[in-house]
Structures are given as C-alpha cells and as structure tokens.
Amino acid sequence: MTKRPNNNPKPEAGTAAERFDKPGFAARKVAADLLGNVVFKKRPLDGELDTVSGHSGFRVLAANDRALVRAIVGTALRHRGEIAAVLERLLDRPIPEKTGRILDILHVAIAQMLFMEVPDRAAVSLAVDHAGLDRRARPYKGLVNGVLRRLGREKEEITGGLEPDLLNTPDWLLESWRETFGEDTARMIAKAHQSEAALDLSVKADPEDWARRLDGETVGTGSVRLTKKGAVEALEGFEDGQWWVQDAAAALPARLLGEVTGLEVADLCAAPGGKTAQLAAAGANVTAIDISSARLKRLEGNMARLGLNVRTVAADLRKFEPDAPFDAVLLDAPCSATGTIRRHPDVPWIKQPYDVEKLTEIQRDLLDRVVGWVKPGGLIVYCTCSLETSEGEAQAAAFLERQKGRVTRVDVVPDEVGGLAHLVTNDGYLRCLPCHNAAATGESKGMDGFFAARFKRL
Ligand SMILES: C[S@@+](CC[C@H](N)C(=O)[O-])C[C@H]1O[C@@H](n2cnc3c(N)ncnc32)[C@H](O)[C@@H]1O
C-alpha cells in the first residue's frame, strides 16, 4: 500500500485542460471545494449552493452536475465521522497541514465509493486527477491513488465494526442529547440524521385531496408527505400557489395559536415565511417581521405566489416597537438549527457550543422584549428548530420564572398536534425529534426537531 507522499509523481496522461474536461471532474472539484469551505471555513452549505450568490464554480455547472455536487457534499457531510475513521484506518499518520485540498479530495472520493452508486474506478481516477491539478496536493497524488485503491479492494475489512450513528455526530452534540433524552433516544436521533428527510408540504386547503393528487400521505396536522424527490417547481399546485414546502414539525407551532381568523398576529423572525403563510391562510391579519431584508424579499415572493396578503417589516426586534399591541404573537427565534440536521447536514460541522450560548442569550432578550407586544389575555408562542434544551425547555422555564405574574404557560394538548401524544412533554411543551413518528398510525417516521411553548399574557 502507498502511504508516503511521492514527491516525484510520474507525468500525467493528458494535459491539465483535458483532465479538467473529463466528464464529472468539475463536479468533483467543486464538491471538494465546498466541503472544505463548510468544514474548515464554517460557511453554511445553503449559501454555497445558492445559484445566484453561491460558490462561483457551482453556479456555472450544468443542472445535472449541480445535483451531483449536492448529493456528494450531502453524503460526505452525513457520513463525515465514518469517512474520517476509514481514513484513519488507511493512513499511517494524519495528512499534514497545508496540503491543499487533499483531505477534501479523499473525503469526496470515499463518500462516492462507500455510500453512492459511483463505480470505484471513476471515483479513484477523478480524485487522483484532482490531486494532480492542485499544486500543494500534487506530492500526495500517489498516496491518494494507493489509499483509495486499497479501500476499493478491502472495503469490508476496512469498514468493519464502525458505529456510524456515533461517529457521524460531534461529541458535544451527542453528549447534550444523551443528557437530555437518554442514551437510546440520543442514538435514535443520530441514526435519523443518516437519512434525508421526506418532502413535506403545507396546503392551503384539503390535504387529503392533495395527498391523492401528489401521490403522498397526510402526516402531522395535515401536512402532505411525499417520498418521491424531484423539482418542487414542477409539481402540480406549485405554480398556482396551492401549497408551500414546510416540514410536518415546523407546521405545528403556528397551530398553537388556535383560531386566528380576523386576529392581528405578529409573526416575529418570519422569513422565509412558512409560518406566515399558515397564519395568513388561516385568516389572520399578519405582520411579518424579520431582520434580513433579503430573506424578507423571499417571504414576499412566497406570499405573492400563494396569493396571500401580509404586512412585512424589515427590523431588528431588539430595536423595533410596534404601534399597538397584537392579539397574538409567534416568535420563531434564531437558533442553532440542530433539529434540521437531516435537511442541513452541515449544521453539526459548522456549529459550536459557543453558538448555542450566544443564540440562547438572543432568544432570552427577544422573549423578554415581545411580552409587552401582546394584549392582556393574548397568546405568545415561542419556538425553535433546536434539539438543545437551553434553546427550548430551559429557555421557556427561565422565561416563566423571570416574567412571573406577567405570563403563564398554556399547556399544549395532543389533540392540537394531530393526536401525536408523544410530541407533548409532561410540562405541556411541544418537543419533536427527528426520530419521532409524524403520523398517529402507519410508519411515517421522521420530522424536524422542534420545540414550542405557549404562554398567555396576564
Ligand atoms: C428560524 S428562521 C425563521 C423561519 C420562519 N419563521 C419560517 O417559518 O419560515 C429565523 C429568522 O430570524 C431572523 N432574525 C434573527 N435575528 C433577528 C432579530 N434580531 N430581529 C428580527 N429577526 C431576526 C433571521 O433573519 C431568520 O429569518
């Protein structure tokens, strides 16, 4: 096996330009770049994959190559711990620093070889070409070739005995879930993250009919779940604004405001507007507020497609003051998003405990600020798509303590969340986990991790 860098690699077959033109090469190169940008530069994957403002190499790829990049990077992130463990078994010593993209090139190749239907030969040869084109990685071309060929020959031995669920989750997250939910549930959460989420839609009306038309099933409180993936824009009902994409768990918090027809409702931290759409479709007069003008533009585009009228305000809630109190308030606070790892496999690799601490402080400030924005007797729903109790249960309990005499908790009951009793905690909070069943019957596994608490202003 070749384990040492070869400082004098043999001349290449073909010129650099010819190798760059090889089918599939550009996609692998961009995938390795993106992986490095996410893992080492902590850049969110969604931003890198934006077809307007994302990675310049990604933007110019053809649609099929973009899809391939998304699949490779998603797979490499979802299995990152396992791939690192495989590499550790293959290498005598860690790859030194300042070796260009070598580690990313190896991760991209191994993701394809172990978890995708890509012939080993293609994955290896494109990885070797890539190493040959990168000035700092070039001396390790021989090592890339040797290591990957050996993996191809000895897959079973090299991957034997690995525990994917544990390896693919950073320790601090796993520890936090163990502490909160116990060992078994923590493992089930980690396991759920190994698969992609289904596509859930919220419909304006008649979910059963839309489930039939789109060949899906109804889950949660009337979300339509599709398992077949494809371009969302091409599905029936998209053009004429009959539905929007929203995870079954994300559709629950807005329901906790109950009957909202004719009420003045503030949707705080509203963009891109999944909950705004629910409230507006249910007949509320919605004021949607978000700090990001760009995200608010997306919300406005979404509402225009759906034919829903809402008032939008671009403002930092820490400075904003409403002219008059609202009948009800929904605060979908910024959070670590650890409940959305199935959809955002970059989250475990870009977030740190420090981010959770910082966000917890912002959530606390926002909660304290918005208490006065609702009329006495009005409801406040606070929610986050986080699995961390500091952003959920503990945050809500501390808020109740600080605002004693001003607010009280109004317990969530299973009937409000599609009869899914397992989503309601003993303290009357909503707690969804990625390993939870999204339907009362059947095997509709999986929903985003979400927390919601309901309070009443006294
Ligand atoms: C979890 S996302 C909201 C998702 C949205 N509610 C939905 O259902 O589609 C959090 C939002 O909070 C916004 N945000 C963060 N800090 C804010 C602040 N200080 N004031 C207002 N909005 C803020 C972000 O721009 C982001 O759009």
Side-chain angles (χ1 to χ4, degrees):
M1 187 193 71
T2 315
K3 288 189 178 176
R4 282 172 207 293
N6 175 2
N7 289 315
N8 296 304
K10 281 196 198 131
E12 299 291 339
T15 64
E18 277 166 5
R19 273 174 278 136
F20 198 82
D21 272 351
K22 245 190 189 174
F25 179 80
R28 270 58 174 208
K29 187 174 179 311
V30 171
D33 254 19
L34 290 190
L35 191 61
N37 289 351
V38 168
V39 174
F40 300 109
K41 298 185 182 161
K42 308 290 176 208
R43 294 197 192 145
L45 182 58
D46 270 359
E48 294 289 286
L49 294 177
D50 192 295
T51 49
V52 179
S53 57
H55 183 278
S56 55
F58 178 75
R59 288 189 326 232
V60 299
L61 290 177
N64 57 341
D65 273 341
R66 283 189 194 165
L68 180 58
V69 170
R70 277 194 207 97
I72 294 176
V73 179
T75 307
L77 288 169
R78 223 167 247 123
H79 297 278
R80 184 159 185 85
E82 249 173 305
I83 294 174
V86 163
L87 263 176
E88 215 172 281
R89 290 180 174 186
L90 285 165
L91 295 165
D92 274 345
R93 63 189 72 123
I95 303 273
E97 282 179 19
K98 303 209 170 126
T99 48
R101 284 276 183 230
I102 206 78
L103 206 54
D104 302 322
I105 293 170
L106 284 167
H107 272 255
V108 160
I110 297 175
Q112 296 166 71
M113 292 172 74
L114 294 184
F115 307 109
M116 297 176 72
E117 286 171 15
V118 174
D120 288 356
R121 214 154 41 92
V124 176
S125 131
L126 290 166
V128 173
D129 282 350
H130 189 179
L133 281 180
D134 180 323
R135 189 175 50 81
R136 284 192 291 181
R138 201 171 299 143
Y140 294 86
K141 225 183 84 168
L143 175 137
V144 169
N145 190 30
V147 152
L148 294 179
R149 279 177 191 277
R150 182 175 159 217
L151 177 62
R153 283 192 309 271
E154 301 172 27
K155 260 183 208 169
E156 278 183 22
E157 300 87 303
I158 290 167
T159 55
L162 294 177
E163 286 204 81
D165 306 343
L166 302 186
L167 284 169
N168 292 323
T169 312
D171 288 347
W172 70 275
L173 276 177
L174 206 53
E175 270 318 306
S176 137
W177 304 340
R178 277 187 176 124
E179 206 172 293
T180 311
F181 308 111
E183 178 68 28
D184 291 351
T185 306
R187 278 182 182 245
M188 283 198 285
I189 293 172
K191 193 177 175 60
H193 292 153
Q194 301 299 292
S195 316
E196 272 185 59
L199 176 64
D200 291 348
L201 310 177
S202 285
V203 296
K204 275 186 180 163
D206 212 344
E208 297 294 344
D209 183 45
W210 280 105
R212 243 189 324 273
R213 289 204 216 182
L214 297 173
D215 194 18
E217 57 170 333
T218 55
V219 295
T221 44
S223 298
V224 174
R225 175 159 290 184
L226 311 184
T227 35
K228 276 189 229 133
K229 289 277 165 77
V232 164
E233 295 81 2
L235 291 172
E236 186 189 349
F238 177 86
E239 279 280 312
D240 44 339
Q242 295 303 317
W243 48 257
W244 58 99
V245 173
Q246 186 177 39
D247 186 85
L252 301 177
R255 302 262 180 194
L256 303 183
L257 289 177
E259 176 59 60
V260 289
T261 313
L263 296 188
E264 290 297 323
V265 179
D267 183 11
L268 306 177
C269 300
K275 299 175 189 68
T276 313
Q278 280 184 283
L279 294 165
N285 301 318
V286 186
T287 302
I289 309 179
D290 201 280
I291 196 170
S292 159
S293 310
R295 286 172 65 87
L296 214 49
K297 275 222 158 55
R298 267 181 66 200
L299 178 146
E300 285 164 354
N302 290 337
M303 297 310 128
R305 177 180 67 83
L306 295 166
L308 296 169
N309 269 326
V310 304
R311 181 177 161 239
T312 57
V313 181
D316 183 343
L317 294 178
R318 290 168 296 186
K319 296 180 191 137
F320 178 79
E321 273 298 339
D323 298 332
F326 297 93
D327 295 312
V329 162
L330 175 64
L331 173 60
D332 187 10
C335 72
S336 61
T338 48
T340 66
I341 293 174
R342 295 174 316 148
R343 293 171 201 289
H344 301 288
D346 54 330
V347 165
W349 310 109
I350 60 175
K351 294 280 159 74
Q352 307 287 335
Y354 166 75
D355 297 308
V356 178
E357 277 168 37
K358 233 173 37 186
L359 288 158
T360 304
E361 281 171 30
I362 296 175
Q363 293 148 9
R364 187 197 55 209
D365 292 349
L366 295 185
L367 264 170
D368 285 344
R369 196 161 167 74
V370 308
V371 177
W373 298 3
V374 69
K375 292 176 187 163
L379 293 175
I380 300 168
V381 167
Y382 163 78
C383 62
T384 56
C385 55
S386 167
L387 296 173
E388 313 316 301
T389 40
S390 56
E391 302 182 89
E393 293 81 346
Q395 184 71 270
F399 172 68
L400 279 170
E401 195 52 41
R402 284 195 308 280
Q403 300 289 343
K404 222 183 221 163
R406 251 185 124 195
V407 290
T408 184
R409 191 179 70 214
V410 182
D411 289 353
V412 176
V413 294
D415 275 356
E416 295 176 290
V417 291
L420 302 174
H422 56 284
L423 305 184
V424 179
T425 71
N426 291 340
D427 288 331
Y429 297 131
L430 175 75
R431 164 54 74 198
C432 308
L433 298 176
C435 54
H436 273 151
N437 224 347
T441 55
E443 273 301 303
S444 255
K445 267 263 177 282
M447 50 173 32
D448 279 356
F450 244 93
F451 169 84
R454 178 170 50 194
F455 310 106
K456 185 194 263 184
R457 165 105 192 259
L458 299 172

